[in-house]
Amino acid sequence: MGRVAGKVALVTGAATGIGRGAAVALAAEGAKLVVTDVDEAGLKETVGIIRKAGGVASGYKQDVTNEERWAEIAAIAKNEFGGIHILVNNAGIAIGASIFEMSYKDWQIQQAINVDGVFFGVKHVIPVIAESGGGSVINISSVAGLQGAPGLAGYCAT
């Protein structure tokens, strides 16, 4: 423990999977966590896991496609913990469908979450990281960005 002791980390998509794993690992290394997701029940579980292990975490509902909410989350983290040192842009979705059958609406939703959400995170959190003395931005991606997969053209594009 201790590699990020005293640091504040913001992890999106933290209700399950990679996001939850990243949040729990950062907490185990001493970071205070602000975790976000649209899945409030899963988010509550993640916060509970961190707190049960002796960590510090707060969870907030966040749709990463909402730029205004990004500004609010950055301000919340700054007010609650004094800053942000680590951003983990993890929130993402995969909509499986042939590109010939995928609706434009599904294409746009996937792009908004997987691409625009990262843009908004960087835009609104890096200034807080700079004010906090510096830190790291971790943008989670997928091997699907390197090699296409049948039925996942839209996801691979993001």
Side-chain angles (χ1 to χ4, degrees):
M1 181 173 141
R3 296 188 317 187
V4 290
K7 304 295 182 185
V8 178
L10 167 57
V11 180
T12 67
T16 60
I18 294 170
R20 177 180 283 172
V24 169
L26 285 163
E29 288 295 329
K32 296 174 185 169
L33 271 292
V34 174
V35 292
T36 72
D37 206 298
V38 293
D39 173 2
E40 291 181 277
L43 196 55
K44 229 178 234 188
E45 286 180 34
T46 299
V47 169
I49 290 167
I50 292 168
R51 289 179 178 169
K52 186 175 181 181
V56 176
S58 293
Y60 298 93
K61 184 174 182 179
Q62 181 189 23
D63 173 351
V64 296
T65 69
N66 181 326
E67 184 173 6
E68 185 177 288
R69 186 63 173 152
W70 268 108
E72 292 169 357
I73 293 293
I76 287 167
K78 187 175 175 180
N79 292 334
E80 186 172 351
F81 294 118
I84 302 172
H85 304 96
I86 302 161
L87 168 63
V88 181
N89 271 318
N90 171 70
I93 62 166
I95 298 174
S98 160
I99 197 72
F100 306 109
E101 297 167 359
M102 178 177 274
S103 71
Y104 183 53
K105 182 178 180 182
D106 281 349
W107 172 269
Q108 288 178 309
I109 289 167
Q110 194 164 236
Q111 289 287 322
I113 293 169
N114 297 0
V115 179
D116 299 347
V118 172
F119 165 71
F120 292 142
V122 167
K123 178 180 177 180
H124 291 282
V125 176
I126 285 181
V128 179
I129 290 174
E131 290 172 13
S132 304
S136 301
V137 175
I138 302 156
N139 295 322
I140 303 297
S141 187
S142 169
V143 71
L146 301 174
Q147 181 175 341
L152 289 175
Y155 175 68
C156 294
T158 66

